[in-house]
Amino acid sequence: SVGAVGDNLLSQRDRSITILLPTNQSNSTMRISAIALLASISACSAFSLNKAPRLAATSLSMSAAEGNRRTFITETTKATALTAAASMVGVSSNPAPAEAASKMWERIQLPFEDTVYDVDFDSPTHGYIVGARGSFAETNDGGNTWEPRSFQNLDAEEEVTYRFTQVSFQNGEGWVLGKPTLMLHTKDNGQSWERIPLSPKLPGDPASIVGLGPSKAEMTTSSGAVYTTDNAGRNWKAQVKETIDATLNRISSSGVSGASYFSGNIINQKRDNDGSYLAVSSRGNFFLTWEPGQDFWIPHNRGTPRRIQSMGFVQGDIHKGVWMTLNGGKLLISPKDTDLQKEETDFVEANIKTGGYGITDVAWRSDNEVWAVGGSNTMYVSMDGGKNFSFDKSANSYPGNLYNVKFFKDFGNMGFALGSNGTLLKYRG
């Protein structure tokens, strides 16, 4: 359980790794303290997981990537990635409708061709984008152009083993999450980065990270643990009393299909603006919710025979409703102020003709303008709050799949859609 992690504190001597741009050198180190109910933090190696785990802290220089360091991808790798992605998003052979299609997005060139998973900004001009095979790039003009960033102390074969999945920035302080398990933190707009060691006894793998203020962040794991830190990751405090599988196995008569004697992980964790969470079981047969102050996650029946593909919040607010996508390209949206304490949740199916292409993400640009993205780089827009959608052909000529669509209301409501093959689209309207 989550609480058990805090009771098994490591006694190893811990240290951090500072990753620096050549213009700002620093050799700061930190000692990690651990107390009861805080997640323990283990000793870490240099940025590479297999180098000198017992040596003193190492400084790594960060600079623009040289030549085509990230751009080489064999045809075999491309074919494998596309096959796996097509399977994940449920792509069919049916073409997407193209009648009277709009074109409201422009493709932005990236310095690599790998899948990109997340993008975030700490000002209208400055931001970072992260992706597979160590893909990491920075913009200083609002996302119109991007410069690659890499770590000179790592050779190319070593660096591409990392997959950066999430990035979160706020007021110059940023967090990056990657796999194999990797967490990076910066306090100076990304000029220098510190690696945050995480305990091997953490329940599940780190799944999400969001910055909440100076030295504050919230992290979740694939087992449903929720942790917060207020000292830049030196200590983590559990917010949930037990993991999801422990809760569901204890409540064997929950009445939720597939929840009894559940084992496995959760996927597609989404956080609203006030800290409430949605999560989908790895088999897609039910979903769960958690709100700050609750001791346990609450399971819910999906209310449909179709497998859940993805879920999220309407306009980032649990009280405005939740959305759910299902296999086969279905999109369901709940009404405002839906009672998520109940096992059953009421949903209304949106009118969206996907031709069977799976929908991977949905985002509200305003009360009325809603965007959905999915397999084969399909895009759909609604101008009536999500009731009816029409096809947008902005990405129709590019191969691959879109996985993420985001709007930044604090920075002029600029929007980005991200996907495979280095696909990045910027909203132009």
Side-chain angles (χ1 to χ4, degrees):
S1 70
V2 177
V5 176
D7 297 329
N8 293 282
L9 306 178
L10 301 184
S11 60
Q12 296 173 307
R13 296 186 60 181
D14 302 315
R15 61 194 176 277
S16 63
I17 303 303
T18 304
I19 303 168
L20 299 176
L21 281 166
T23 56
N24 286 307
Q25 296 295 332
S26 172
N27 293 315
S28 62
T29 61
M30 94 181 156
R31 179 178 296 278
I32 312 302
S33 63
I35 62 175
L37 297 181
L38 300 186
S40 56
I41 299 175
S42 68
C44 71
S45 65
F47 189 72
S48 165
L49 294 183
N50 59 358
K51 285 195 174 183
R54 301 298 179 191
L55 296 181
T58 303
S59 293
L60 303 183
S61 297
M62 180 179 179
S63 67
E66 299 178 0
N68 295 323
R69 177 167 173 173
R70 295 190 194 278
T71 58
F72 68 95
I73 303 178
T74 65
E75 293 302 318
T76 301
T77 302
K78 283 185 177 179
T80 302
L82 288 173
T83 301
S87 174
M88 181 173 64
V89 298
V91 174
S92 76
S93 58
N94 298 324
E99 299 83 3
S102 60
K103 191 173 183 181
M104 303 170 68
W105 300 73
E106 177 187 2
R107 185 167 188 181
I108 301 297
Q109 188 66 38
L110 289 177
F112 38 72
E113 298 179 359
D114 304 289
T115 297
V116 283
Y117 295 111
D118 199 12
V119 61
D120 204 10
F121 287 79
D122 65 338
S123 76
T125 57
H126 182 251
Y128 282 97
I129 192 168
V130 296
R133 294 167 56 85
S135 299
F136 193 62
E138 181 181 15
T139 181
N140 286 290
D141 60 6
N144 294 315
T145 60
W146 296 83
E147 294 294 330
R149 296 290 179 252
S150 63
F151 301 90
Q152 291 181 336
N153 301 54
L154 304 177
D155 58 48
E157 291 78 8
E158 187 175 27
E159 186 172 2
V160 298
T161 61
Y162 291 97
R163 174 161 52 102
F164 300 127
T165 57
Q166 291 207 347
V167 57
S168 177
F169 261 90
Q170 186 180 81
N171 298 324
E173 185 170 8
W175 301 79
V176 170
L177 197 63
K179 295 181 179 180
T181 299
L182 176 71
M183 182 182 291
L184 302 175
H185 176 236
T186 179
K187 291 184 178 181
D188 54 11
N189 281 317
Q191 297 300 305
S192 62
W193 293 84
E194 176 184 58
R195 179 172 179 176
I196 306 300
L198 295 172
S199 170
K201 295 184 179 180
L202 196 71
D205 297 322
S208 69
I209 185 73
V210 59
L212 300 176
S215 299
K216 296 181 179 179
E218 187 169 273
M219 171 183 66
T220 67
T221 76
S222 58
S223 293
V226 180
Y227 293 104
T228 58
T229 180
D230 58 8
N231 58 7
R234 289 169 174 80
N235 305 109
W236 296 89
K237 183 177 181 180
Q239 303 299 303
V240 186
K241 286 189 175 180
E242 61 186 11
T243 55
I244 285 177
D245 56 349
T247 297
L248 296 178
N249 292 335
R250 178 171 51 80
I251 310 174
S252 59
S253 58
S254 64
V256 177
S257 176
S260 298
Y261 307 106
F262 167 83
S263 62
N265 294 327
I266 55 175
I267 59 174
N268 186 235
Q269 295 183 42
K270 294 289 181 69
R271 183 185 190 274
D272 84 345
N273 297 331
D274 295 321
S276 298
Y277 279 92
L278 277 170
V280 179
S281 75
S282 55
R283 291 172 289 182
N285 52 348
F286 64 95
F287 70 98
L288 307 102
T289 58
W290 179 82
E291 297 183 53
Q294 293 180 341
D295 291 334
F296 313 107
W297 288 77
I298 299 175
H300 306 267
N301 281 308
R302 59 186 171 183
T304 172
R306 292 179 181 264
R307 179 186 173 119
I308 301 173
Q309 182 85 40
S310 182
M311 292 190 72
F313 297 99
V314 175
Q315 295 182 280
D317 186 346
I318 192 172
H319 299 294
K320 292 185 177 180
V322 298
W323 57 264
M324 173 193 293
T325 65
L326 307 173
N327 275 6
K330 301 290 184 180
L331 171 60
L332 309 178
I333 303 174
S334 76
K336 292 182 179 179
D337 293 316
T338 297
D339 185 2
L340 292 177
Q341 301 295 321
K342 301 187 303 182
E343 292 176 0
E344 299 285 347
T345 304
D346 297 324
F347 287 91
V348 178
E349 184 172 351
N351 178 23
I352 181 169
K353 297 182 174 70
T354 65
Y357 287 84
I359 300 172
T360 54
D361 198 18
V362 182
W364 268 250
R365 187 171 185 270
S366 66
D367 289 343
N368 294 321
E369 186 177 351
V370 188
W371 285 88
V373 301
S376 197
N377 280 349
T378 50
M379 307 185 79
Y380 309 89
V381 60
S382 169
M383 293 298 181
D384 58 8
K387 296 181 179 66
N388 300 282
F389 285 80
S390 60
F391 180 66
D392 181 276
K393 62 181 180 180
S394 298
N396 206 36
S397 60
Y398 309 127
N401 303 291
L402 292 172
Y403 301 120
N404 193 355
V405 56
K406 300 179 73 171
F407 292 98
F408 297 91
K409 291 181 172 55
D410 292 337
F411 304 128
N413 219 3
M414 61 180 177
F416 294 88
L418 302 80
S420 58
N421 300 324
T423 300
L424 175 67
L425 302 169
K426 185 173 182 180
Y427 181 84
R428 298 301 187 187

